[in-house]
Amino acid sequence: MTDLVIRALTPSDADLFHSLHDTALVGRGAFGHRYASVAGGGEYRPDWTWAALRGNTVVARAAWWGSPDDTAPIALDWFDFAPGEEGAGAELLRRAPFRSEYSLLVPPGWREAPEVRAAAEGRIAAARAAGMEVLVERYRYTWTPDCPLPERPGRLTFRPEPDDAVILGVLRRVHSVTLDAHARRDIEGPGGLEAAARSELDFFHWCPSPREWWQLAYTPDGEVAGIQVPAHNPSGPCIGFIGVVPEARGHGYGYDLLVECTRFLVEQGAESIAGATDRANAPMAAAFARAGHPVTQERIDLVFAQE
């Protein structure tokens, strides 16, 4: 068998990425982007796009993605390989100099479709062989004007909070007891609860939406119930964050926060709103269903072990 060559693509040969065809339609751009290099009018950088070649044939490929202002990729967005080349895919991930999270998109109910399941499980196996592990499976939602627009329950009041220190304090409270797998991983790491809270705050600032959109929710007696952050990520409007503080749980306030977040974005002109929650987060999944947000995709997040 021809020796394997693994390297980053260059602006002059970025089109090699398209020479490998995926028929299973799994994991095609987790951030919703068609693959095109920056030079070709797209958002993918050739130096963040790697290929494994045998001779002149691409047998595995991977593309990492970040916003135009990011100095390092935030996610492995594309990863696939030719039939029988799972080992080449794993070697590609081992040799590439990035350790970003891998976000694998699959259709709803993907385990019931044999071709899709085989493609997804092949990618997961290759990522595991490269040293990654499944962190969590998530539901992804897309609200559009064809979906119901729920009425505000009216139980909470919402106010912008300009002080990052106050926001950070609420995030600490939210994550002190959480079902969110990413937050729990941060909490289990060296930074603990503070790292989990700051990770959320960093994400809010990373989004190109206005800072004044961040809102705290208050009960009728003036106590903080939670936080909701309507946002735009680089792909469009999204439910940036929904969190209820522990002492306010048990009242279904997650639904109130989600409704407010949805209606706020619609009032800003959004015609499509993305959202996500862990499959295991039954209360939040129920809130999305009740608020009329349909599951349009599922996502499997894989990570390298924390060092």
Side-chain angles (χ1 to χ4, degrees):
M1 183 177 288
T2 306
D3 288 343
L4 194 66
V5 173
I6 294 176
R7 64 174 176 85
L9 299 183
T10 67
S12 63
D13 66 8
D15 284 345
L16 277 175
F17 190 88
H18 297 290
S19 66
L20 179 61
H21 300 287
D22 171 22
T23 59
L25 301 178
V26 173
R28 290 194 167 214
F31 286 86
H33 306 130
R34 175 184 63 86
Y35 183 86
S37 67
V38 172
E43 299 188 38
Y44 290 90
R45 308 180 199 184
D47 55 325
W48 292 359
T49 303
W50 283 59
L53 299 97
R54 295 195 189 279
N56 295 320
T57 302
V58 174
V59 296
R61 62 184 177 178
W64 284 262
W65 182 87
S67 76
D69 294 330
D70 288 324
T71 57
I74 64 169
L76 172 59
D77 199 27
W78 289 70
F79 172 56
D80 57 0
F81 40 84
E85 293 286 1
E86 182 180 303
E91 187 64 18
L92 170 57
L93 295 187
R94 278 193 290 266
R95 290 200 212 172
F98 310 118
R99 291 297 178 264
S100 306
E101 181 173 300
Y102 173 27
S103 298
L104 173 61
L105 286 189
V106 288
W110 61 276
R111 287 183 172 89
E112 306 305 316
E115 183 184 15
V116 172
R117 179 170 182 167
E121 290 181 345
R123 287 162 173 74
I124 293 168
R128 281 179 164 150
M132 304 188 82
E133 59 187 8
V134 174
L135 173 65
V136 66
E137 294 189 30
R138 290 171 65 79
Y139 292 122
R140 283 170 53 105
Y141 304 87
T142 306
W143 185 94
T144 67
D146 292 333
C147 302
L149 181 61
E151 294 297 326
R152 290 180 168 99
R155 299 189 297 170
L156 302 173
T157 57
F158 296 87
R159 297 198 294 271
E161 174 49 64
D163 189 340
D164 276 12
V166 175
I167 295 289
L168 193 62
V170 174
L171 291 172
R172 289 192 200 98
R173 292 164 65 186
V174 169
H175 282 329
S176 65
V177 181
T178 181
L179 295 173
D180 185 87
H182 286 84
R184 292 174 70 165
R185 183 172 188 259
D186 285 339
I187 291 167
E188 292 166 2
L193 179 59
E194 185 70 16
R198 288 194 176 277
S199 177
E200 300 292 359
L201 187 67
D202 289 346
F203 169 72
F204 301 165
H205 280 296
W206 177 82
C207 290
S209 39
R211 168 65 177 79
E212 58 267 24
W213 285 9
W214 311 358
Q215 295 184 331
L216 297 185
Y218 296 86
T219 62
D221 58 5
E223 296 297 321
V224 172
I227 177 174
Q228 63 93 12
V229 178
H232 272 251
N233 64 30
S235 297
C238 66
I239 306 297
F241 188 80
I242 299 292
V244 179
V245 298
E247 56 270 32
R249 291 175 189 168
H251 303 286
Y253 286 150
Y255 173 77
D256 301 49
L257 296 171
L258 178 59
V259 170
E260 182 65 26
C261 198
T262 302
R263 294 191 69 98
F264 182 94
L265 287 168
V266 170
E267 289 164 2
Q268 304 304 310
E271 296 189 356
S272 178
I273 301 171
T277 196
D278 293 2
R279 284 177 59 102
N281 191 340
M284 200 64 232
F288 271 105
R290 182 183 172 196
H293 290 241
V295 176
T296 51
Q297 290 175 312
E298 295 184 37
R299 194 176 92 192
I300 304 159
D301 290 337
L302 296 97
V303 295
F304 286 95
Q306 298 190 83
E307 299 178 354

